[in-house]
Amino acid sequence: MRANIERVIEGKPDVVSSALTVLIAEGHLLIEDVPGVGKTMLSKALARSIDCSVRRIQFTPDLLPSDVTGVSVFNQNTREFEFRPGGIFANIVVGDEINRASPKTQSALLECMEERQVTVDNNTYYLEQPFMVIATQNPIEMEGTYALPEAQRDRFMARVSVGYPVEAAEIAMLSSHTGANPLDDLEPVTDAAELRKLIGIVNQVHVSTAVQRYAVAINAATRRSEELSLGASPRATLHLVRAAKAVAAMDGRDYVLPDDVHRLTRPVLAHRLLPSVEAAMSGRSTTAILDAIVAAVPVPDAR
């Protein structure tokens, strides 16, 4: 899958690995960056690499919650209401520019992302496994965007930024992307059944008590920090350990190392934190505050 995606996204192996980590850790991915760097291309390349149901939702200011979850429609023939599934009913859901929709529509994703189900008119419909939301958004300073609420951001396992390509990769992109769309030649390399097996393998990866305490200590330190007005939630701790198990499995190990937890702190925790007023006024970024907090937490030794 990594090789397949890198046929389209060139020069960004770390971003591709992060996306695959979130996929097999049963999480959701938020891709945040400026327009034109390949956010939607990355999400569509990941979706097309899997032989499963894929749907795309283009988030706009006039998008309704029922467009996402579905709606009950009255059938004149049967004289009964029928449920018409919305765009969320798929294995991979690509939500493009999620922060252009109103907060009311954004909140339609809360139940879907956390509980893998949709409740409409007192009826509950379960989503098929695997289920992953890949959302893209522009920085909040851009025109016509709505900030994602804290509850929404906390449901994304990781946030990544694609960033600008290096010169060699951008030159290669001119050759491969100007003649034809590289997505047209992308074929699935796995399917939903294989993904479910991979998820089962990740769930069996061992996490020692020392590593668990290390993950909890990092998140507890964010809650005590005077530079943060909002620290990491218990859900963030769970996501951090799940992602670490996925990284260990991808590296061919059946156990998690403290290094796995350490290198995932930025993508898993940074988007959940809010700096205090004093820290924001002094120009301290959330990632800088987080790096200082993580550096102060003792790493468990090999014994």
Side-chain angles (χ1 to χ4, degrees), residues 19-34:
L20 294 178
T21 298
V22 173
L23 174 64
I24 64 173
E26 295 186 281
H28 307 290
L29 182 66
L30 179 63
I31 309 172
E32 180 182 293
D33 218 322
V34 295

Side-chain angles (χ1 to χ4, degrees), residues 35-46:
V37 294
K39 301 186 299 295
T40 306
M41 187 74 76
L42 171 61
S43 58
K44 292 175 72 174
L46 174 61

Side-chain angles (χ1 to χ4, degrees), residues 64-258:
L64 298 175
S66 57
D67 297 328
V68 176
T69 59
V71 65
S72 295
V73 179
F74 186 73
N75 189 322
Q76 293 285 356
N77 296 326
T78 62
R79 313 296 295 178
E80 293 180 350
F81 282 94
E82 293 181 352
F83 178 67
R84 301 285 176 86
I88 201 67
F89 282 84
N91 294 118
I92 305 293
V93 179
V94 179
D96 202 19
E97 296 192 343
I98 187 175
N99 59 339
R100 292 203 179 276
S102 66
K104 180 180 179 180
T105 302
Q106 291 177 10
S107 64
L109 289 171
L110 295 178
E111 181 187 14
C112 312
M113 294 174 65
E114 179 63 20
E115 302 172 49
R116 265 71 171 178
Q117 66 181 33
V118 175
T119 302
V120 177
D121 295 336
N122 295 324
N123 292 320
T124 299
Y125 305 92
Y126 294 96
L127 300 173
E128 187 180 349
Q129 300 296 330
F131 172 69
M132 180 184 185
V133 174
I134 309 172
T136 70
Q137 73 168 4
N138 297 323
I140 194 57
E141 291 80 10
M142 295 288 176
E143 292 278 343
T145 58
Y146 302 85
L148 291 181
E150 289 78 9
Q152 181 83 14
R153 293 201 308 269
D154 198 49
R155 279 163 167 76
F156 285 101
M157 177 173 283
R159 180 188 65 183
V160 298
S161 296
V162 179
Y164 293 111
V166 297
E167 184 178 348
E170 195 162 2
I171 293 173
M173 180 192 70
L174 294 177
S175 302
S176 60
H177 289 232
T178 52
N181 189 346
L183 285 172
D184 295 339
D185 298 328
L186 218 57
E187 296 290 336
V189 294
T190 187
D191 55 20
E194 189 70 20
L195 276 180
R196 285 191 285 268
K197 292 179 183 178
L198 293 175
I199 292 170
I201 293 172
V202 170
N203 291 336
Q204 296 173 7
V205 172
H206 174 69
V207 185
S208 67
T209 304
V211 174
Q212 291 178 359
R213 288 177 176 170
Y214 180 55
V216 171
I218 291 175
N219 284 272
T222 65
R223 301 163 196 162
R224 296 191 300 265
S225 175
E226 295 182 354
E227 292 187 290
L228 295 174
S229 60
L230 178 65
S233 66
R235 184 191 286 124
T237 311
L238 183 62
H239 284 180
L240 184 60
V241 172
R242 278 185 183 171
K245 292 171 69 172
V247 167
M250 290 172 66
D251 287 346
R253 286 182 278 108
D254 60 355
Y255 57 91
V256 174
L257 295 173

